[in-house]
Each structure stands twice: as C-alpha cells, then as structure tokens.
Amino acid sequence: MDKISSPAEFQVAIQSPRLTVAIFKADWCSDCKFIDPFIPEVEQSYADRLTLVEVDVDAVGDVSQEQNIMGIPSFVAYSDGRELVRFVNKLRKSREEIENFLDKAVQVHQSLQK
C-alpha cells in the first residue's frame, strides 16, 4: 500500500479514475494498529477492483482537515477527485466491516461508470 506523505501526493492519488480508498491513520492510534495485521490480505483480495492508500494524519494534517476527518482510522473512497462514500465512526473496525465498506465502495464506483 502506498503511503501518502504530502498534500500533492494525496491529490494525485484521488484524481485517478480508478477507485481509490484512503485509509486515514496514525502511528499512535491503537485502533489503527488493530487493523494493520489483516489490511495486507484485504488489499490483495481487492487489488483488481481498487487501490488502497495510507494517509498519516500527522504527516499531512491539512489534508485531514480539508477532508473533515475527525476520527481514525477512517476510510474514504474517491474516484476522479470526488468522494464517493466514507466509513467513519469512533468504534474499532473489524475486518468484516472494512470489507463490507469496500464492497459498497466498489458498487458505488461501478454504478457511476455506467
């Protein structure tokens, strides 16, 4: 997974016509560390349908503010520079919840391609 380290990199990533899901997180976040072990497998299983990118909220704080990210980890799906859907809440996220969100993001993206 690519790690976004600047606002410019973030803009390039979300401008893609391909579905891009940004995971907003931070090194100090325990709920972020909880998802770390299984995210590589999730990324691999969705590799043909979307691109995952990691956005460190401490490294690119302006982006987090612009995107209205209040809690982490947060998942936001983009295509062609537009936000499609987001999965944001203050609860720890399970693998199943993340995969359900990614499925929803894929459905929304596909519906816009028609």
Side-chain angles (χ1 to χ4, degrees), residues 60-71:
V60 290
D62 290 347
V63 169
S64 301
Q65 286 182 319
E66 289 166 9
Q67 299 301 309
N68 205 23
I69 302 300
M70 301 296 184

Side-chain angles (χ1 to χ4, degrees), residues 34-43 93-96 98:
F34 175 79
I35 68 172
D36 283 344
F38 60 79
I39 285 295
E41 288 178 18
V42 171
E43 180 179 24
K93 291 151 184 72
S94 70
R95 180 176 181 155
E96 181 181 8
I98 293 167

Side-chain angles (χ1 to χ4, degrees), residues 8-78:
E9 285 180 10
F10 178 77
Q11 286 302 320
V12 168
I14 69 168
Q15 293 302 323
S16 171
R18 179 170 165 82
L19 178 60
T20 301
V21 176
I23 306 174
F24 291 86
K25 53 192 293 204
D27 291 340
W28 49 264
C29 166
S30 61
D31 288 342
C32 301
K33 290 184 186 323
F34 175 79
I35 68 172
D36 283 344
F38 60 79
I39 285 295
E41 288 178 18
V42 171
E43 180 179 24
Q44 188 172 13
S45 67
Y46 284 85
D48 60 332
R49 293 168 280 173
L50 57 86
T51 300
L52 286 178
V53 295
E54 181 179 315
V55 182
D56 184 320
V57 296
D58 292 329
V60 290
D62 290 347
V63 169
S64 301
Q65 286 182 319
E66 289 166 9
Q67 299 301 309
N68 205 23
I69 302 300
M70 301 296 184
I72 53 174
S74 290
F75 296 76
V76 184
Y78 301 91

Side-chain angles (χ1 to χ4, degrees), residues 17 79-80 82 108-114:
S79 179
D80 292 317
R82 293 183 306 168
V108 170
H109 184 251
Q110 287 174 341
S111 71
L112 295 173
Q113 302 304 305
K114 295 177 181 175

